[in-house]
Amino acid sequence: MIHPWQIALITLYAFIQPNESRSFKIGMDMPILAGWFTGLLLGNPQTGLVLGGTLQLMTLGVNTYGGTSIPNTTVGAIVGTALSLNSTPELALGIAIPVALLMIQLDILARYANIFFLHRADHFIEQRNYDKAAFQNLLGMIAPGLSRAVPVFFVLCFGQMLCRSGDGLDSAMVYDRLAGGLAASFQS
């Protein structure tokens, strides 16, 4: 079971991560660090390193050139590590990759939300009110943080119920369906 203090710290990490990757760049956006941190808090740093390292290898050379959105493997590492407590690492990785892909859509939504603050900052700059313009830039940090923190919070609170053996997802069934789907797609 994940305790509330663990949920709070991991959710805070997910909130800070997108803004840190655009400013200080100390590495919080690296999946291997996110997996290790989540695993450390949840008592299994080795699994966090394995899942984070696997996702890190998947994204070598991938970057957001020209403002494009890429899979958020950092959130995938957090989710995969958290879900690996009550399931197999293979199932957790199988869930982490689609979560990383889903985060592309939330990244786009967060960028659209920031347009509002950008236009307000432009308006304040035209009025030569630079303090209010700078404050709009600070408000622009909320949407990217929430686009990562809210899904992580829900997964940490409710995701464990789905991955308990016998209660929710059967890892063998999920693996069989995923393998069958991939095999069918490669045959065509």
Side-chain angles (χ1 to χ4, degrees):
M1 174 168 178
I2 302 176
H3 299 287
W5 67 270
Q6 293 168 319
I7 292 172
L9 285 176
I10 296 169
T11 302
L12 180 65
Y13 182 97
F15 183 84
I16 293 171
Q17 175 267 322
N19 298 311
E20 183 276 332
S21 68
R22 295 180 180 110
S23 58
F24 299 116
K25 196 69 171 158
I26 60 173
M28 290 180 72
D29 61 333
M30 298 175 72
I32 195 164
L33 183 61
W36 172 79
F37 179 76
T38 305
L40 185 68
L41 286 178
L42 299 178
N44 195 356
Q46 283 183 313
T47 301
L49 279 172
V50 169
L51 286 169
T54 303
L55 292 169
Q56 183 83 35
L57 286 171
M58 289 175 52
T59 59
L60 287 177
V62 176
N63 209 339
T64 59
Y65 300 112
T68 58
S69 294
I70 60 171
N72 190 332
T73 52
T74 305
V75 173
I78 292 171
V79 167
T81 303
L83 295 181
S84 70
L85 295 177
N86 291 334
S87 68
T88 64
E90 293 83 12
L91 176 62
L93 184 62
I95 293 172
I97 294 170
V99 166
L101 293 171
L102 175 66
M103 295 305 295
I104 294 173
Q105 305 308 318
L106 294 179
D107 181 55
I108 293 169
L109 183 64
R111 290 175 191 226
Y112 275 122
N114 277 343
I115 291 172
F116 171 76
F117 298 116
L118 176 69
H119 287 300
R120 285 181 51 109
D122 287 341
H123 173 73
F124 289 130
I125 288 172
E126 288 173 358
Q127 295 178 344
R128 297 186 186 270
N129 193 341
Y130 301 117
D131 290 336
K132 286 186 179 180
F135 183 67
Q136 296 304 310
N137 288 333
L138 289 176
L139 290 176
M141 295 169 53
I142 294 172
L146 287 178
S147 73
R148 274 67 163 191
V150 171
V152 166
F153 175 78
F154 281 118
V155 167
L156 293 175
C157 289
F158 306 113
Q160 294 291 316
M161 292 184 290
L162 292 174
C163 290
R164 286 193 188 116
S165 58
D167 291 344
L169 294 174
D170 178 18
S171 61
M173 179 201 62
V174 170
Y175 177 77
D176 289 342
R177 291 194 179 199
L178 182 63
L182 289 173
S185 67
F186 283 118
Q187 289 177 358
S188 46

